[in-house]
């Protein structure tokens, strides 16, 4: 006999107080109920029930086995319900938050792909550069760029966010050449406000890591503002590759110091640890890992 079935029959017999009542509830004969209980006792070599013609009662070991059996059966039920959820069709609304530039340049172009694949899911996408509170503000998922602060959130690693140093050809004409990071101190730099990039830029090059101070007449918390200024020849730009790639491709911007790499910033997708992994949540997690890199990255506590 199947062990889990016998265990379930035993628990039902204890709950209802007799083999007959358990048989009626399980739509089997009292004799078959008895066989299931006897099979457990023979396998364990221990009596579970004291039985007389009028009543039955648990032995000391039977009481312990009964409590443990209920736990095991409950865990099996949970596992089976998770499997059912996995097979279910994702549906409902997902509230997602992302940084502005990543959301506009990287996430938004890929969202139609997700929506076509999951026609019963509605997405509400909010873009902001502040660190929103996922729980208090009611988000299901939050994209976050940069080093994570300690929290109780679950963080799914994505591909690092890479930066490129570039400028418009018109800006570079007639100005001091840029052959090494230290040369940037002689130039106007367009800086991202409210981050460490406002006052200094760091690069990894042939001789190791170097950090240089930068000065600027323009600081902004929006990449598009800085990009417009760079295209107008107002200064040197250090921005995410996705933001500047189109301008690099058509020559409106040129890459500087290609032998030096600006350190990439980590990127994660966050969700609450007590949030049930519903089909819609699972579908977007899988989509994001596939679309935005770091395949196989295991979730970690933020």
């Amino acid at each position: 006999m199947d062990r889990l079935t016998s265990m379930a029959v035993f628990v039902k017999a204890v709950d209802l107080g007799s083999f007959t009542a358990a048989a009626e509830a399980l739509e089997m004969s009292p004799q078959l109920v008895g066989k299931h209980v006897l099979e457990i006792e023979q396998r364990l070599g221990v009596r579970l029930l004291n039985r007389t013609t009028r009543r039955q009662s648990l032995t000391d070991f039977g009481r312990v086995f009964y409590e443990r059996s209920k736990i095991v059966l409950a865990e099996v039920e949970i596992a089976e319900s998770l499997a059912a959820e996995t097979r279910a069709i994702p549906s409902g609304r997902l509230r997602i938050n992302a940084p502005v530039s990543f959301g506009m340049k990287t996430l938004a172009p890929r969202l139609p792909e997700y929506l076509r694949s999951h026609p019963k899911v509605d997405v509400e996408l909010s873009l902001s550069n502040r660190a929103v509170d996922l729980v208090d503000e009611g988000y299901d998922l939050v994209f976050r760029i940069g080093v994570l602060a300690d929290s109780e959130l679950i963080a799914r690693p994505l591909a690092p966010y890479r930066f490129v140093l570039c400028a418009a050809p018109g800006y570079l004409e007639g100005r001091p050449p840029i052959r090494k990071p230290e040369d940037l101190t002689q130039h106007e730099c367009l800086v991202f406000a409210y981050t460490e990039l406002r006052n200094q830029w760091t690069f990894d090059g042939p001789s190791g890591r170097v950090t240089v101070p930068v000065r600027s007449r323009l600081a902004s918390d929006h990449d598009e503002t800085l990009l417009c200024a760079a295209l107008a020849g107002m200064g040197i730009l250090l921005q995410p590759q996705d933001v500047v790639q189109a301008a690099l491709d058509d020559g409106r911007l040129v890459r500087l110091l290609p032998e030096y790499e600006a350190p990439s910033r980590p990127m994660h997708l966050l969700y609450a640890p007590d949030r049930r992994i519903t089909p819609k949540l699972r579908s977007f997690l899988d989509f994001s890992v596939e679309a935005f890199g770091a395949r196989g990255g295991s979730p970690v506590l933020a």
Side-chain angles (χ1 to χ4, degrees), residues 84-160:
E85 284 187 355
T86 300
R87 296 192 302 270
I89 297 174
S91 62
R93 185 180 67 160
L94 275 175
R95 296 195 70 232
I96 301 168
N97 177 269
V100 176
S101 293
F102 170 79
M104 293 177 61
K105 298 292 185 179
T106 308
L107 177 58
R110 299 295 299 268
L111 267 183
E113 173 187 337
Y114 172 79
L115 292 170
R116 282 192 293 267
S117 298
H118 303 91
K120 293 189 176 182
V121 178
D122 299 328
V123 172
E124 181 182 316
L125 176 62
S126 169
L127 303 181
S128 64
N129 287 327
R130 67 181 180 88
V132 301
D133 189 307
L134 182 146
V135 176
D136 288 349
E137 298 183 46
Y139 289 104
D140 297 292
L141 295 156
V142 170
F143 288 90
R144 190 143 306 159
I145 297 170
V147 178
L148 296 174
D150 290 339
S151 74
E152 297 300 320
L153 301 177
I154 303 297
R156 176 63 66 101
L158 300 174

Side-chain angles (χ1 to χ4, degrees), residues 82-274:
L82 290 175
E85 284 187 355
T86 300
R87 296 192 302 270
I89 297 174
S91 62
R93 185 180 67 160
L94 275 175
R95 296 195 70 232
I96 301 168
N97 177 269
V100 176
S101 293
F102 170 79
M104 293 177 61
K105 298 292 185 179
T106 308
L107 177 58
R110 299 295 299 268
L111 267 183
E113 173 187 337
Y114 172 79
L115 292 170
R116 282 192 293 267
S117 298
H118 303 91
K120 293 189 176 182
V121 178
D122 299 328
V123 172
E124 181 182 316
L125 176 62
S126 169
L127 303 181
S128 64
N129 287 327
R130 67 181 180 88
V132 301
D133 189 307
L134 182 146
V135 176
D136 288 349
E137 298 183 46
Y139 289 104
D140 297 292
L141 295 156
V142 170
F143 288 90
R144 190 143 306 159
I145 297 170
V147 178
L148 296 174
D150 290 339
S151 74
E152 297 300 320
L153 301 177
I154 303 297
R156 176 63 66 101
L158 300 174
Y161 208 48
R162 302 191 181 282
F163 287 71
V164 175
L165 186 72
C166 54
Y171 170 82
L172 298 172
E173 291 177 4
R175 286 186 167 84
I178 302 173
R179 299 188 178 94
K180 58 185 185 299
E182 289 83 356
D183 294 334
L184 294 172
T185 59
Q186 303 176 57
H187 289 266
E188 286 288 339
C189 297
L190 304 168
V191 301
F192 196 82
Y194 314 123
T195 74
E196 68 278 6
L197 297 177
R198 182 184 181 106
N199 300 312
Q200 59 184 31
W201 291 350
T202 299
F203 302 91
D204 291 322
S207 301
R209 178 162 293 190
V210 56
T211 298
V212 297
V214 293
R215 61 184 178 86
S216 176
R217 296 173 56 210
L218 175 63
S220 174
D221 65 352
H222 200 301
D223 293 319
E224 288 294 326
T225 301
L226 301 176
L227 176 60
C228 289
L231 293 172
M234 296 298 296
I236 296 173
L237 194 63
L238 180 64
Q239 285 296 302
Q241 184 169 350
D242 286 349
V243 173
V244 300
Q245 190 61 56
L248 290 171
D249 290 343
D250 63 20
R252 288 177 294 157
L253 295 176
V254 294
R255 184 170 182 178
L256 305 174
L257 302 178
E259 68 274 25
Y260 289 86
E261 290 284 343
S264 60
R265 304 181 73 190
M267 183 165 68
H268 296 84
L269 186 55
L270 308 181
Y271 58 95
D274 57 352

Side-chain angles (χ1 to χ4, degrees), residues 20-33:
T20 300
E24 291 178 358
L26 298 172
E27 297 183 349
M28 62 176 62
S29 67
Q31 291 78 14
L32 185 54
V33 172

Side-chain angles (χ1 to χ4, degrees), residues 8-55:
V9 171
F10 166 68
V11 168
K12 183 65 72 175
V14 174
D15 287 342
L16 298 181
S18 71
F19 287 2
T20 300
E24 291 178 358
L26 298 172
E27 297 183 349
M28 62 176 62
S29 67
Q31 291 78 14
L32 185 54
V33 172
K35 286 183 179 180
H36 277 289
V37 175
L38 181 62
E39 192 277 334
I40 297 175
E41 291 179 331
Q42 290 177 341
R43 187 176 69 251
L44 298 177
V46 179
R47 181 175 289 277
L48 301 176
L49 293 168
N50 294 313
R51 295 183 288 277
T52 66
T53 55
R54 294 186 177 181
R55 60 187 298 272

